[in-house]
């Protein structure tokens, strides 16, 4: 059986996350409101603002990616993946899944890809707006490609982080809290540590000295801002996006490999 085709775990995840009939009436109302009203209005006002000021389109490109889409990735992806295994445990179907004919790689791939799809679909909704902002703002092709590569690898990393928490914890609430704590460490911990470092060392100029603070390099907001919102500044550092993309890809692979290897030993309850 292929990891990506004829994978019942993947099909189950897709059905669970995208079948509206399984959603409550209130959730369906929210989904229809977002798709039918909020997104079209966001497109209308954004395109109107960019067409009115082409220079503003360059700022909009960085703003969309840094403030909006990175936030979606950091907040939505781990939340989707943190419950993917714990829910199986709570329904008492996880051990049966592990003892089935499915291989650990098929189970992990199905859970991982199925959990990523809501985030990827959401990002796809905003992709045409990114293209419009890039064209109107005369963003280079290399910058456009690197920004979206960083966005994709960040999605993979935070998804793998959420899946790892879901494997390591037995309850959904605990897994979600663990994922949220790690997100806070990566996203909020580095700028707080930078502030403390600057106060101790005596640096007061954030823009000139922050690049020398290596823990900040793991922050996707900082890397994306350096790439997209500091483009007219000779002190910008797009290489941070390259390094973070490579690091995120390697870390994602390692986290998924750990989960896959651990699942090969069977259920925790039986190996204890």
């Amino acid at each position: 059986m292929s990891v990506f085709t004829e994978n019942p775990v993947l099909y189950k995840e897709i059905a669970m996350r995208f079948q509206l009939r399984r959603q409550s009436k209130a959730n369906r109302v929210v989904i229809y409101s977002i798709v039918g009203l909020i997104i079209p209005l966001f497109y209308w006002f954004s395109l109107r603002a960019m067409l009115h000021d082409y220079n503003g389109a360059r700022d909009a490109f960085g703003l969309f990616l840094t403030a909006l889409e990175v936030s979606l990735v950091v907040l939505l992806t781990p939340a989707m993946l943190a419950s993917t295994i714990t829910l199986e445990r709570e329904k008492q179907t996880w051990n049966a899944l592990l003892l089935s004919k499915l291989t650990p790689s098929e189970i992990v791939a199905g859970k991982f890809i199925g959990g990523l799809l809501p985030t990827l679909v959401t990002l796809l909704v905003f992709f045409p707006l990114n293209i419009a902002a890039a064209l109107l703002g005369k963003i280079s092709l290399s910058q456009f490609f690197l920004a979206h590569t960083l966005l994709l690898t960040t999605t993979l990393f935070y998804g793998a982080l959420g899946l790892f928490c879901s494997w390591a914890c037995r309850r959904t609430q605990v897994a979600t809290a663990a994922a949220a704590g790690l997100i806070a460490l990566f996203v909020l911990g580095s700028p707080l540590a930078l502030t403390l470092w600057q106060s101790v060392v005596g640096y007061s100029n954030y823009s000139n000295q922050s690049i020398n603070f290596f823990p900040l390099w793991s922050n996707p907001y900082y890397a994306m801002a350096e790439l997209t919102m500091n483009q007219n500044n000779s002190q910008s550092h797009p290489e941070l996006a390259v390094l973070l993309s490579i690091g995120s890809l390697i870390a994602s692979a390692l986290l998924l490999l750990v989960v896959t290897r651990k699942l090969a030993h069977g259920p925790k309850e039986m190996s204890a």
Side-chain angles (χ1 to χ4, degrees):
M1 184 182 298
S2 173
V3 171
F4 300 102
T5 61
E6 300 181 358
N7 189 335
V9 177
L10 177 59
Y11 294 159
K12 178 183 176 182
E13 289 293 319
I14 294 175
M16 181 179 67
R17 299 179 188 280
F18 288 98
Q19 285 188 1
L20 290 179
R21 65 184 181 183
R22 296 191 177 188
Q23 303 291 332
S24 65
K25 184 176 180 180
N27 287 344
R28 288 199 297 268
V29 171
V30 172
I31 293 172
Y32 290 141
S33 299
I34 293 174
V35 174
L37 180 63
I38 297 178
I39 292 178
L41 286 176
F42 182 79
Y43 260 79
W44 166 255
F45 286 113
S46 299
L47 289 173
R48 184 177 180 182
M50 288 188 294
L51 289 171
H52 183 264
D53 183 8
Y54 286 0
N55 291 327
R58 295 180 66 88
D59 297 331
F61 178 76
L63 187 62
F64 290 153
L65 284 165
T66 303
L68 177 62
E69 295 175 53
V70 171
S71 296
L72 284 172
V73 166
V74 169
L75 298 176
L76 180 61
T77 310
M80 291 288 104
L81 272 296
S83 63
T84 185
I85 294 178
T86 53
L87 285 178
E88 294 277 4
R89 287 196 177 106
E90 291 168 0
K91 295 177 181 178
Q92 299 183 350
T93 58
W94 180 238
N95 290 347
L97 182 61
L98 293 181
L99 295 173
S100 67
K101 294 182 179 180
L102 295 171
T103 65
S105 60
E106 289 170 342
I107 295 174
V108 172
K111 292 290 185 182
F112 185 60
I113 298 172
L116 288 180
L117 284 178
T119 303
L120 296 177
V121 170
T122 304
L123 294 177
L124 191 62
V125 170
F126 294 101
F127 188 68
L129 202 58
N130 293 343
I131 295 177
L135 291 175
L136 293 173
K138 299 180 180 179
I139 304 297
S140 67
L141 182 61
S142 60
Q143 187 180 14
F144 183 87
F145 176 78
L146 183 54
H148 286 83
T149 299
L150 175 60
L151 193 65
L152 178 60
T153 54
T154 302
T155 303
L156 295 177
F157 170 70
Y158 281 93
L161 187 66
L163 184 64
F164 180 83
C165 292
S166 189
W167 166 81
C169 303
R170 295 182 180 273
R171 306 296 297 179
T172 300
Q173 295 88 342
V174 177
T176 303
L182 291 172
I183 292 171
L185 177 65
F186 285 114
V187 175
L188 301 178
S190 54
L192 290 176
L194 173 64
T195 302
L196 178 62
W197 176 71
Q198 288 179 330
S199 64
V200 171
V201 177
Y203 289 137
S204 59
N205 192 328
Y206 179 94
S207 62
N208 290 338
Q209 304 299 336
S210 60
I211 188 63
N212 299 321
F213 190 68
F214 297 117
L216 202 62
W217 293 13
S218 64
N219 193 313
Y221 287 97
Y222 181 73
M224 187 67 79
E226 281 290 324
L227 178 65
T228 62
M229 301 185 71
N230 201 17
Q231 50 202 327
N232 293 324
N233 192 333
S234 60
Q235 300 298 321
S236 63
H237 299 276
E239 65 273 11
L240 292 183
V242 177
L243 293 174
L244 185 55
S245 296
I246 296 174
S248 297
L249 198 59
I250 294 174
S252 303
L254 290 176
L255 288 171
L256 295 177
L257 181 61
V258 168
V259 175
T260 304
R261 290 291 181 90
K262 292 295 184 179
L263 294 188
H265 297 296
K268 288 183 177 180
E269 293 81 355
M270 294 185 176
S271 60

